[in-house]
Amino acid sequence: MTNLLKVEFYKLKRFWIGYVGVLFMFGVGYIYGDTRIGNREIAMPDHMSGAFSATVSDTSFVFLIAIIAALFIGRDFSNRNIGNEIKLGYSRTHILLSRMLAAGAFSLLLHITYIVSALIGFCRAIGFDTSLFRLGNLLWLLTVLLQLAAVIGGVMLISFLVKKMAEAIALSALYAALCCNILRNFFSTKLFTLSCFCFAQDSDLRTLAATAVSAIVTLSVFLTIAVFVFRKAEIK
């Protein structure tokens, strides 16, 4: 498992599309935070905690994160890296989990980049204050990152179901856009708002706890199914 993780994180360092993704997330985050750009009239809070609230729960770019994750995972089916690892005797469970950890970690980095760059833009436009530094905000961030990891668990399941890069990218984009962007316009039930597809909207501890439990359960289900499918699959 350790060797597999070393390989996956080494591949992340050479994953040039990932760098493009980081730059894009930084750019859109900064533009969103700095309301002076483009002479926009956007209702932005006048304190950093409010700016954090406006970005931490934003699912607008989850579909893009899902595409990048699917590309990172799916290309190993195209170049037969996964088949070679199986032949070398690595556990299929470890092969899947190593990719989940690498793709998940990078996905969290992309969302954090978006949040941080928006706060930088906010500070440039309005100014710095210490309202951001609250325990509730930290717990809120950690909960949202857990929710994003659960969403990426779905991308992992899709990728290991189709075992082809192009199909994995297309289906992951559709899955993320539908669940995280489209459905929120039609569902406002408690069940949906506590799911991993609707990032926590406030720092209320009860809400965060319920949302975190929901995300853990969802991630566990996704990975359990993915492992089961992968163990039964014929990999060339």
Side-chain angles (χ1 to χ4, degrees):
M1 180 69 171
T2 302
N3 289 337
L4 288 172
L5 282 174
K6 288 180 180 178
V7 170
E8 292 308 308
F9 281 97
Y10 174 77
K11 288 191 299 185
L12 273 179
K13 293 178 182 178
R14 301 173 62 86
F15 187 46
W16 67 268
I17 293 180
Y19 290 100
V20 174
V22 170
L23 290 174
F24 177 83
M25 295 299 283
F26 185 89
V28 295
Y30 184 88
I31 291 171
Y32 180 67
D34 190 345
T35 55
R36 301 170 302 176
I37 298 177
N39 296 317
R40 295 169 294 137
E41 293 294 335
I42 296 180
M44 178 65 78
D46 60 357
H47 50 86
M48 285 192 70
S49 184
F52 172 80
S53 302
T55 53
V56 68
S57 58
D58 187 1
T59 58
S60 299
F61 298 101
V62 173
F63 79 94
L64 178 61
I65 295 175
I67 289 173
I68 294 174
L71 176 59
F72 178 76
I73 300 165
R75 64 179 186 165
D76 279 344
F77 286 103
S78 298
N79 58 25
R80 298 186 178 182
N81 279 349
I82 290 179
N84 291 335
E85 289 173 356
I86 293 174
K87 292 177 182 177
L88 289 173
Y90 287 108
S91 161
R92 293 196 180 207
T93 300
H94 288 172
I95 291 172
L96 187 147
L97 291 180
S98 65
R99 282 160 175 79
M100 176 64 210
L101 289 172
F106 192 74
S107 299
L108 303 190
L109 173 64
L110 289 173
H111 192 57
I112 291 173
T113 299
Y114 174 63
I115 297 170
V116 171
S117 61
L119 292 175
I120 293 173
F122 176 87
C123 289
R124 293 273 297 175
I126 298 178
F128 176 83
D129 64 75
T130 59
S131 63
L132 172 66
F133 303 104
R134 299 173 181 173
L135 178 59
N137 285 339
L138 175 60
L139 296 176
W140 190 357
L141 173 62
L142 293 176
T143 301
V144 167
L145 294 181
L146 182 58
Q147 289 181 287
L148 179 56
V151 173
I152 299 304
V155 173
M156 180 70 59
L157 173 57
I158 291 170
S159 300
F160 277 80
L161 276 172
V162 299
K163 298 185 289 294
K164 293 181 180 178
M165 184 174 66
E167 286 87 339
I169 293 171
L171 290 175
S172 295
L174 179 61
Y175 148 76
L178 178 64
C179 294
C180 298
N181 298 100
I182 297 175
L183 289 183
R184 67 182 179 185
N185 296 317
F186 300 97
F187 294 98
S188 58
T189 62
K190 191 72 172 178
L191 183 62
F192 180 74
T193 56
L194 292 179
S195 74
C196 63
F197 306 118
C198 180
F199 289 175
Q201 299 298 303
D202 58 60
S203 58
D204 176 72
L205 291 181
R206 293 181 182 178
T207 301
L208 294 182
T211 303
V213 170
S214 174
I216 291 171
V217 170
T218 303
L219 177 59
S220 300
V221 170
F222 280 149
L223 292 183
T224 299
I225 297 174
V227 168
F228 176 80
V229 170
F230 186 37
R231 284 180 174 178
K232 300 293 183 180
E234 180 179 348
I235 307 296
K236 297 180 180 180

